Amino acid sequence: MRDIENSIRELSKGYAPQRENAKPRIMKVYDKTFKPLLNRKDLDDFFDLYEYDDPIIKAWAFLGIYQILENKQYLYGEAKEKLENIVVDILDNNDKISYYSGDIETTVSIRTHHGRRISWLHPDIVFEPVYEYVKSKAPEMDKVIGELLEELLSKANDPKVEDLLLEYAQNIYSNDIEGKHVILQGFKNFGENTDLAHKEQVTEVFKTYLQDLWQKRKSSKNNKLSNNQQELEHELIKIGALLDLELESETLKFLENLNGPFAALDQVAEHYKNNETFQSLLMEKLGNTTNQRFIKDILKAISLIKDQIPNCQELVIKKIEKYEFADTGLIMNLMESNLLDKSILLEMLKQGEKWQLEFVREFLNLYPEKLDEWNDLYDEVSSILTSFQDESSDKDSDSEFYQKKEFALNVVIDLKHPKLVQHCLTNFSNLDDDKLRKMALFSIITFGEDDLLLDLRKLMEQDETTQQYVKRFWNQLERRDWKFYY
């Protein structure tokens, strides 16, 4: 490397993993020494730096190596061999370094600091040294090993990873909740790429973890799990279903005792959709609970197993109306199950309660094509844009007229709809409310076609007050980089 001694002298002044919030002295080192080295994209420069014993130099060296390799999937020959040796060294390097982010000083080992970066590199580049290291430490689990298992090894399609995960899973301390989360996510990642070869053993691990949790619940004073334990229980049921593990009795027991929200209930329901006991428990929970978040989760689940639920559409829609749900995930599940149709959306829009308008808006953001496919729905939105009442009606933000106007203008902006925007000049001219006028004007300025902008200019020429209003709003948009909060 050219001027290596000068580079080392500068880099040894201190370390920062990023330029932002570093001390001015170290920011200068980052800009004047590290960044020019990085811009060369020469791994050998940083390999040479890593040979020095100073922990600060080693920290800079691997930061450069990581930034060069973070988007690469392949490395060959001598470069790969050098990298593998450095990876092994880092994972055993407990030398401490300190750096500042603003006024906050962090002291950390090189292993902990750069172990995470190793886990973010592509498995094809670093799999072998990482696997050998993690294997050599089994079943000892710590944060670095957990990150390597979850973020790197489990995402590689190599059958020996399943054996390694099992070794850790079967020997982990009963109270290591964080470690168990890592193992579950590892199995999930691995199962997404390949079929489990030891499904029975993995199933036993899940059963054991669940039994441990339920024993803890039974022995607790209030018969409850801590938040971390409950989260682990939920993950076990969810990932068990995704991996198609034989956990039917455990899942039914879980659902029987479930009295609060469970975001993955719909995913689990798909796995057990033909289980009559599961269906009955879902309906029982829906009838007994008053927890709205839980009700929402149950409705998502029911919508995905609609064929097993009598009068499913009527049941779901009634619950939505009762609790005024306008939830993105619920809408998506309803559409996936064909439980949401044009007539339901049109009726909501005509009734025009605030939650109904939010529901329709959220629906159109998710499925914008439906506005043009469903003519009746388009006509209703268009009708709102072309209807006007007395001047006071658009000043009352609680009035049905105002809320529908706001909804329709929101839709125009959300979808940047080329036909509906044609109505915005009339709205700008006839509405009195400042917010509604600005919404209409924003649409005209930002995605209205030339003829609409020409009509706006004519309107400005006819009225000086309008001209000043438009210019003032235009200047506001320019100052905000054309961001408009509506």
Side-chain angles (χ1 to χ4, degrees):
M1 187 203 304
R2 294 167 291 175
D3 304 323
I4 187 168
E5 295 301 329
N6 182 57
S7 296
I8 289 170
R9 185 168 55 252
E10 290 300 311
L11 293 172
S12 64
K13 291 178 180 179
Y15 171 74
Q18 66 236 347
R19 180 186 187 280
E20 290 74 19
N21 295 322
K23 293 287 186 182
R25 181 170 62 93
I26 307 305
M27 191 182 294
K28 183 178 179 181
V29 173
Y30 196 102
D31 290 341
K32 301 295 185 181
T33 304
F34 176 73
K35 193 64 174 169
L37 281 174
L38 186 64
N39 289 341
R40 296 178 192 173
K41 301 294 184 184
D42 188 345
L43 279 173
D44 285 332
D45 287 348
F46 292 105
F47 288 158
D48 291 343
L49 281 177
Y50 196 84
E51 294 299 316
Y52 284 75
D53 290 334
D54 186 345
I56 291 176
I57 302 300
K58 286 185 180 293
W60 279 116
F62 192 76
L63 182 66
I65 292 168
Y66 169 76
Q67 292 194 18
I68 291 173
L69 294 177
E70 63 178 326
N71 294 317
K72 290 193 174 182
Q73 296 185 16
Y74 303 103
L75 191 65
Y76 301 104
E78 186 179 355
K80 186 172 184 181
E81 184 177 341
K82 287 182 178 180
L83 175 65
E84 290 178 348
N85 290 333
I86 289 174
V87 166
V88 171
D89 185 75
I90 284 177
L91 293 176
D92 273 328
N93 194 328
N94 288 303
D95 290 343
K96 296 288 194 294
I97 57 171
S98 295
Y99 60 90
Y100 279 88
S101 180
D103 294 327
I104 300 173
E105 182 181 20
T106 298
T107 299
V108 65
S109 70
I110 289 181
R111 174 182 183 270
T112 300
H113 183 64
H114 279 322
R116 176 171 295 176
R117 288 179 176 81
I118 291 172
S119 74
W120 292 339
L121 291 173
H122 195 279
D124 287 350
I125 296 177
V126 293
F127 177 85
E128 286 302 330
V130 171
Y131 172 81
E132 291 301 329
Y133 171 79
V134 175
K135 175 69 175 172
S136 72
K137 297 296 182 181
E140 175 190 335
M141 171 79 77
D142 64 15
K143 188 171 183 180
V144 172
I145 291 172
E147 287 174 343
L148 295 170
L149 276 170
E150 180 177 344
E151 299 293 335
L152 191 141
L153 295 179
S154 65
K155 294 179 180 178
N157 189 12
D158 190 311
K160 61 189 177 186
V161 171
E162 184 180 350
D163 293 320
L164 184 60
L165 285 169
L166 268 172
E167 185 173 358
Y168 274 90
Q170 291 167 341
N171 292 282
I172 196 166
Y173 292 117
S174 175
N175 292 326
D176 188 356
I177 301 298
E178 185 176 341
K180 288 181 178 180
H181 274 296
V182 167
I183 288 166
L184 295 187
Q185 189 61 46
F187 279 123
K188 177 178 179 290
N189 292 343
F190 187 78
E192 287 173 349
N193 296 321
T194 186
D195 292 333
L196 295 174
H198 308 297
K199 187 175 283 190
E200 288 185 7
Q201 290 173 264
V202 176
T203 301
E204 283 305 310
V205 166
F206 278 59
K207 286 177 180 284
T208 299
Y209 288 1
L210 283 168
Q211 292 302 325
D212 284 347
L213 287 171
W214 293 340
Q215 187 60 44
K216 287 180 173 65
R217 176 184 283 136
K218 188 182 295 185
S219 59
S220 68
K221 290 182 180 179
N222 55 8
N223 199 34
K224 287 185 178 180
L225 296 174
S226 67
N227 289 339
N228 286 340
Q229 291 170 336
Q230 186 180 81
E231 186 179 341
L232 178 63
E233 180 188 38
H234 286 196
E235 286 294 295
L236 283 161
I237 297 298
K238 169 190 168 184
I239 296 174
L242 293 175
L243 295 177
D244 195 26
L245 303 182
E246 291 295 329
L247 295 172
E248 180 179 314
S249 62
E250 287 79 10
T251 301
L252 293 175
K253 180 178 178 180
F254 166 80
L255 182 55
E256 187 175 352
N257 292 302
L258 186 64
N259 293 309
F262 178 37
L265 187 58
D266 54 343
Q267 297 175 53
V268 177
E270 280 196 286
H271 186 72
Y272 294 99
K273 62 184 177 182
N274 295 319
N275 188 297
E276 293 183 2
T277 305
F278 188 91
Q279 299 162 21
S280 299
L281 283 170
L282 272 184
M283 298 305 294
E284 180 184 325
K285 295 294 178 181
L286 184 61
N288 293 338
T289 186
T290 57
N291 184 312
Q292 293 195 24
R293 288 176 58 200
F294 191 23
I295 291 170
K296 197 180 297 183
D297 291 339
I298 296 172
L299 292 180
K300 290 179 185 178
I302 287 175
S303 69
L304 293 183
I305 58 171
K306 62 171 186 173
D307 294 338
Q308 283 71 36
I309 307 296
N311 303 316
C312 185
Q313 184 180 49
E314 182 182 357
L315 171 68
V316 171
I317 298 303
K318 280 186 177 180
K319 289 290 185 181
I320 288 174
E321 290 173 347
K322 179 178 179 180
Y323 293 101
E324 301 184 351
F325 291 144
D327 178 80
T328 300
L330 181 55
I331 292 171
M332 292 174 68
N333 281 20
L334 292 173
M335 282 297 287
E336 184 179 336
S337 305
N338 295 316
L339 292 178
L340 204 54
D341 54 37
K342 177 177 63 175
S343 63
I344 294 171
L345 273 297
L346 195 58
E347 185 61 28
M348 284 184 173
L349 190 49
K350 287 179 178 178
Q351 290 179 9
E353 293 185 29
K354 189 171 183 178
W355 77 268
Q356 292 173 313
L357 298 176
E358 290 174 358
F359 187 102
V360 177
R361 182 185 175 190
E362 187 62 31
F363 171 84
L364 290 174
N365 279 329
L366 291 168
Y367 306 98
E369 70 281 358
K370 294 299 181 185
L371 188 59
D372 294 310
E373 290 177 11
W374 294 347
N375 293 333
D376 292 348
L377 190 62
Y378 174 87
D379 291 343
E380 187 64 26
V381 176
S382 181
S383 174
I384 294 170
L385 287 169
T386 54
S387 299
F388 298 93
Q389 297 180 1
D390 60 87
E391 291 184 2
S392 63
S393 61
D394 65 281
K395 293 179 181 178
D396 182 5
S397 60
D398 291 327
S399 70
E400 180 182 339
F401 174 82
Y402 181 99
Q403 291 183 1
K404 283 191 172 184
K405 273 290 181 188
E406 185 180 23
F407 156 81
L409 291 169
N410 276 329
V411 169
V412 176
I413 297 173
D414 291 344
L415 307 187
K416 295 180 172 54
H417 200 282
K419 289 174 63 179
L420 292 177
V421 72
Q422 296 297 320
H423 301 305
C424 284
L425 186 63
T426 308
N427 280 269
F428 172 67
S429 302
N430 289 283
L431 293 171
D432 224 22
D433 180 80
D434 186 59
K435 180 182 178 181
L436 298 181
R437 295 190 79 205
K438 284 180 177 176
M439 291 173 72
L441 185 55
F442 177 77
S443 299
I444 297 167
I445 292 172
T446 55
F447 54 90
E449 294 184 356
D450 289 345
D451 61 339
L452 194 58
L453 289 167
L454 183 61
D455 289 341
L456 175 63
R457 182 173 292 278
K458 290 178 182 177
L459 194 65
M460 292 167 65
E461 291 172 353
Q462 295 169 9
D463 182 69
E464 186 175 345
T465 302
T466 300
Q467 184 176 125
Q468 293 302 317
Y469 187 95
V470 173
K471 286 182 177 179
R472 192 161 54 246
F473 181 64
W474 194 297
N475 289 334
Q476 288 174 358
L477 289 175
E478 286 184 333
R479 287 197 301 271
R480 296 174 182 173
D481 294 326
W482 293 88
K483 292 183 174 66
F484 179 57
Y485 304 98
Y486 59 101

